[in-house]
Amino acid sequence: MRVIVCKDYEEMSKKAADIVAGQLAMNPKSVLGLATGSTPVGTYKELINRCKDGTISFKDVTTFNLDEYYPIKKSNSQSYDYFMNDNLFNHVDIDKANVNIPNGEAADAAEECKRYEAKIASSPQVDIQILGIGQNGHIAFNEPEEELYSETHLTGLTDNTIEANARFFEKKEDVPTTALTMGIGTIMKAKKIIILANGAAKKDAVAALLSGKITTASPATMLNCHNDVVLICDEAAYN
Ligand code: GLP
């Protein structure tokens, strides 16, 4: 795993945007895997600026998001659908027909997971997957468990994650307790993975990731099995 330690969040976001922009310059029809959470917001802001100044274009880009709460209405300001529109898609020249996010409104979660996995499988391979990391080492919504799932699935959220995400909701009870998420295998299919981490709250998760040990107790450690992963973090998250 390549590790880039940045002095702060801004530098981390710029570095990640540089890699994504380089990919889009190389192939305007790139496929991007995208994440939500507060971590990638700075990267998205950078990409928006570069799109506005004409350096990059999303016109022919396809995207697949990692996860979505379930059930949740797309119009809910806490849905990941809403988040992506608000933080990226509404500000760049992407064709929304090429945007893919698990559907939190689907009547049948299992069917939706099958549909989403098949859609990814039928698309050209994801060129770059952007990931954040949970305090407990989760990636997407693959939470620490005895067994991890390979494909897109419906999952329960741990208390730690509900607690961590409660800051976005009015009260903790409003945080959905289940979600649809790409599995570890789905994520690992990407050609390149950029994992972002900032702030002291991510220190333990980053330490586990860099320990070289692989354990389902910290799902991000599975990334040690991938041959092109870049961890971009700030000093506070780095041990
Ligand atoms: C969320 C998302 C993850 C994200 C993580 C960290 O629950 N499902 O994809 O990486 O938690 O979030 P944040 O960046 O806000 O710390």
Side-chain angles (χ1 to χ4, degrees):
M1 185 174 311
R2 231 178 105 208
V3 182
I4 303 175
V5 184
C6 301
K7 69 173 190 310
D8 55 21
Y9 179 76
E10 208 189 338
E11 192 181 305
M12 177 193 83
S13 303
K14 282 206 175 108
K15 281 255 168 3
D18 284 347
I19 299 175
V20 175
Q23 171 64 37
L24 298 193
M26 199 168 66
N27 179 11
K29 292 186 176 169
S30 292
V31 182
L32 299 178
L34 300 177
T36 53
S38 46
T39 308
V41 170
T43 305
Y44 296 155
K45 281 204 178 116
E46 269 295 317
L47 292 172
I48 291 167
N49 289 340
R50 293 176 199 206
C51 189
K52 287 200 166 134
D53 72 16
T55 320
I56 56 170
S57 169
F58 285 79
K59 198 167 61 67
D60 297 316
V61 168
T62 297
T63 64
F64 285 95
N65 260 80
L66 289 167
D67 49 9
E68 176 61 286
Y69 290 116
Y70 185 84
I72 197 160
K73 290 253 180 270
K74 292 179 188 180
S75 56
N76 184 324
S77 61
Q78 295 313 322
S79 77
Y80 286 170
D81 197 284
Y82 191 102
F83 175 99
M84 287 310 300
N85 283 320
D86 204 28
N87 285 288
L88 182 64
F89 300 144
N90 285 349
H91 313 287
V92 295
D93 57 347
I94 198 161
D95 178 350
K96 295 241 177 117
N98 296 333
V99 164
N100 298 279
I101 302 176
N103 182 7
E105 296 182 354
D108 184 327
E111 274 307 312
E112 173 56 15
C113 291
K114 250 193 249 166
R115 180 199 70 81
Y116 200 65
E117 190 70 28
K119 188 86 194 274
I120 296 168
S122 68
S123 154
Q125 195 179 1
V126 171
D127 292 290
I128 296 181
Q129 173 67 61
I130 294 174
L131 289 180
I133 186 168
Q135 292 172 20
N136 61 6
H138 75 236
I139 47 174
F141 272 132
N142 294 277
E143 296 275 34
E145 275 182 87
E146 208 171 307
E147 293 174 325
L148 296 176
Y149 287 79
S150 180
E151 299 199 330
T152 304
H153 59 284
L154 176 69
T155 186
L157 305 186
T158 61
D159 261 355
N160 176 288
T161 298
I162 292 171
E163 195 79 57
N165 289 359
R167 67 188 193 279
F168 299 115
F169 293 80
E170 252 178 54
K171 47 186 190 311
K172 189 181 161 191
E173 292 67 41
D174 293 343
V175 184
T177 54
T178 50
L180 307 174
T181 182
M182 282 189 196
I184 298 288
T186 329
I187 294 168
M188 299 274 271
K189 280 180 187 151
K191 287 184 203 164
K192 182 183 196 72
I193 296 175
I194 299 174
I195 181 157
L196 301 171
N198 69 287
K202 301 294 172 68
K203 237 181 170 176
D204 290 349
V206 168
L209 176 64
L210 295 178
S211 73
K213 290 184 202 146
I214 296 162
T215 168
T216 63
S218 186
T221 61
M222 300 294 285
L223 298 176
N224 284 295
C225 299
H226 193 284
N227 65 6
D228 190 359
V229 179
V230 188
L231 165 69
I232 310 179
C233 63
D234 70 354
E235 282 168 4
Y238 189 70
N239 291 258

